Each structure stands twice: as C-alpha cells, then as structure tokens.
Amino acid sequence: MDRLKKILSAEEWTALNLRALYAENGYEKYRMSKFEEYDLYARNKDFLVSDSVITFTDTDGKLLALKPDVTLSIIKNAKPQVGKAMKVYYHENVYRVSKGTRAYKELAQAGLECLGDVSEEDLAEVVYLAAKSLDTVSNRNVLELSELTVVDGVLRYCGLDTTARQALWARLAEKNLAGVQEIAKCAGMSEMKASLLEKLVTTYGSADAVLPKLDVFRVNEETAKAVDAFKALIRSLQARGVGEKLRIDFSVLGDMNYYNGLAFKGFVEGLPTWILSGGRYDKLMAKMGKQGKAVGFAVYLDEIAKLKA
C-alpha cells in the first residue's frame, strides 16, 4: 500500500480510499453517461454549483450537455424500491467552470446518495460517512451542519414575505449581521423577533457548546420538531465518534426550492473553501417526480491538489 500511495496522486489516493469507505458501508457503485439531455440542467440551474453548461447537438438533433452535476442524473434515473433506501456511491468527472480559474474544467468528484425510504438512521450514516470522508483528506477538518427547516421556520415566524425571506437567506449565507439587522429594521420587526434573526447569524460552535442554545428557535410546532430531530442527529453522530469534528452553523444553506432539513459543508486545514458539500434534497426529488426522500454529498477532488504537501 505504501508503494501504491507513492505512485498515485493525492487526488487518486483519496478517491481510492473514498470508494473503499463507501463500499465497506454497503453502498453500490453507480455508473453513468458523460452527458445528459440539456433540458435536465436547464430546469434545475439553481441547483448547480455553476450554471454554465457545455452543450452540443446529438446526431438526432437533441441538445445534450456534458454532465456538470451527478446528483441530478442519479435522481433522474433512480428507481428505489418501496420501503427500502437506494444507496449508491460514485467517482465521476463533471464538466463545469472551475472556481479558481473561471475556465471550463474536467473535475473529479466522488460522493454518495441515499434515496427513497430514508430513515433517521440512514441520515445519520450519510453524515457520519461525510465526516469520515474528510478524514481521508486530512485529520485536521471540520464538518459544519445547519438545519434549513429551523431557518425557514424562524423567517416565516418573523412575518417576512417571500422576497424578504430570500433576501435574509442570502444575508445569512454571508454571515452578514449588519444586513440582517437592516432588513429587520426596514420590516418594522419587534425587538424580540429581530434578536431571534441575529441569533441565526451568530450561533456557531461545537456541538456541546451550541446544542443547549437551540431551544430559542422552538417558535412553533414545525421548528420545535426540527430542533428535536437536529439534536437527535448530533447526538447520534457523537455516539459514532465524530462529534469533535462537528460545528453547528446556520449560514450553511442551499437554494430554498431544492433543499430542506439538513445541510452541511466540510473543510480541511490548508484550503480556503469547502471541499465537501451535501444535505437533504427531498424537494428536488418531488420536483423531478420521484417518491421518497434524498440525502447525499459530494467531495470535490480537484481541490485536494491545492493542499500543500
């Protein structure tokens, strides 16, 4: 193994370890075409990391696209069995604009998806595997988790319309406390509700430090249920031995039209941006006409080359 590690690049070595990790935990290899009909991505551009898609015309006149995303393809072709979760992993190349160069790149990506009848145990397993995936890159890492049902429920409780909620969603993602305060002020919000929004921005830290503070977000039945489920998930992850790597951060968000519930991003020391991202996409499943729930994550292998040796 030592000889193999010397031969392989850091990206290849990590991919090999990720594939072994996922297979050992009961996930099956999923293979797909390099391209899909462009319409799949045109209808779901907000879900993509980049909305720039490379297209070409097939011999029958159909507009095709080089695959910029894996999750959309898996959900489109998924046929989970009733009463069972479909568990798959992948190691694929995607074609999109690179975050660093702003040029089109062929980028390696690995990850997994759990679709269909997804239990709370399945959800915890996915997040656990996300944490272990980070360990394959570096043991100096953190996994930041958020609960979107809590965030959206608090925004609705504060009496904000759709436009204002979207604006606040963007400010939260930026950790922009001043921006959140300005929106609350313009909306004529009460001091109590404005303070609640500020807590969404400023609540951050280890699981042990933050869990006792989450009850402030139990503003109605929906958020109370989401807070309880989030706490149960965190405690399950602590029991699995990955609790010390967890950070709770409500700025970890996704598009409101696609994501719900849990969202998370993974970081390793030495890289300025996240190397792993994931969450629940039940709304995306429904949007694509599929029954059941969905949760998964991707590891962006091209980022690994940027780590200092």
Side-chain angles (χ1 to χ4, degrees):
M1 290 296 287
D2 287 341
R3 183 170 179 271
L4 183 61
K5 188 174 182 180
K6 290 179 181 178
I7 295 172
L8 298 177
S9 67
E11 178 183 312
E12 292 169 329
W13 178 252
T14 300
L16 184 65
N17 281 283
L18 290 175
R19 292 171 64 176
L21 173 66
Y22 305 151
E24 288 167 1
N25 282 274
Y27 283 72
E28 296 183 1
K29 182 76 167 65
Y30 191 95
R31 293 178 176 83
M32 61 197 77
S33 170
K34 290 183 181 294
F35 41 84
E36 288 273 9
E37 291 187 22
Y38 172 70
D39 185 59
L40 173 66
Y41 306 117
R43 287 184 280 107
N44 299 285
K45 278 194 172 184
D46 291 341
F47 183 78
L48 302 176
V49 173
S50 168
D51 61 5
S52 297
V53 180
I54 301 174
T55 61
F56 63 97
T57 303
D58 199 4
T59 54
D60 61 2
K62 287 184 179 178
L63 186 62
L64 301 181
L66 286 175
K67 184 175 69 248
D69 177 84
V70 176
T71 299
L72 288 172
S73 293
I74 291 178
I75 292 179
K76 174 193 171 186
N77 298 298
K79 296 179 180 178
Q81 299 177 23
V82 176
K84 185 178 180 181
M86 171 183 165
K87 299 182 177 183
V88 297
Y89 77 90
Y90 60 86
H91 177 204
E92 296 283 337
N93 289 339
V94 295
Y95 305 85
R96 64 166 72 117
V97 173
S98 170
K99 287 185 288 185
T101 65
R102 302 305 303 164
Y104 280 111
K105 295 283 187 179
E106 181 179 30
L107 306 172
Q109 182 175 307
L112 58 80
E113 306 289 346
C114 184
L115 314 171
D117 189 6
V118 179
S119 67
E120 295 304 312
E121 182 69 16
D122 293 327
L123 180 63
E125 179 184 65
V126 168
V127 184
Y128 167 77
L129 290 174
K132 300 305 289 185
S133 295
L134 291 173
D135 285 340
T136 67
V137 180
S138 168
N139 60 8
R140 301 180 69 86
N141 63 72
V142 295
L143 185 65
E144 297 186 346
L145 297 92
S146 178
E147 220 302 332
L148 307 191
T149 304
V150 171
V151 176
D152 190 47
V154 168
L155 299 191
R156 291 176 184 274
Y157 169 77
C158 289
L160 298 167
D161 60 24
T162 301
T163 301
R165 287 203 311 274
Q166 289 175 339
L168 259 172
W169 199 267
R171 302 299 182 276
L172 284 171
E174 299 165 350
K175 284 186 176 291
N176 185 345
L177 179 59
V180 168
Q181 291 171 331
E182 180 63 25
I183 291 174
K185 181 179 179 181
C186 291
M189 200 172 292
S190 69
E191 184 176 336
M192 183 273 290
K193 289 183 176 180
S195 174
L196 196 60
L197 292 179
E198 291 172 9
K199 285 183 172 65
L200 282 177
V201 184
T202 58
T203 297
Y204 176 84
S206 67
D208 287 337
V210 175
L211 280 183
K213 301 177 181 179
L214 296 182
D215 285 341
V216 70
F217 301 121
R218 298 168 62 92
V219 296
N220 53 36
E221 185 177 350
E222 179 188 34
T223 59
K225 184 177 179 180
V227 166
D228 288 343
F230 193 43
K231 284 184 174 183
L233 171 66
I234 298 297
R235 292 185 181 117
S236 175
L237 293 168
Q238 289 175 321
R240 290 169 181 258
V242 296
E244 75 282 356
K245 299 294 180 73
L246 306 181
R247 300 293 181 271
I248 296 174
D249 183 354
F250 288 110
S251 74
V252 177
L253 301 172
D255 189 283
M256 296 168 65
N257 296 314
Y258 296 92
Y259 295 91
N260 62 289
L262 182 71
F264 50 91
K265 287 186 178 179
F267 300 80
V268 298
E269 187 175 279
L271 290 176
T273 188
W274 38 267
I275 194 172
L276 178 152
S277 68
R280 283 186 60 171
Y281 337 113
D282 298 358
K283 290 183 179 180
L284 179 61
M285 284 279 281
K287 188 174 185 291
M288 295 180 66
K290 302 289 183 175
Q291 298 291 323
K293 304 173 183 177
V295 59
F297 63 83
V299 181
Y300 300 95
L301 298 170
D302 59 297
E303 296 291 331
I304 295 173
K306 301 175 186 177
L307 281 171
K308 294 181 180 178

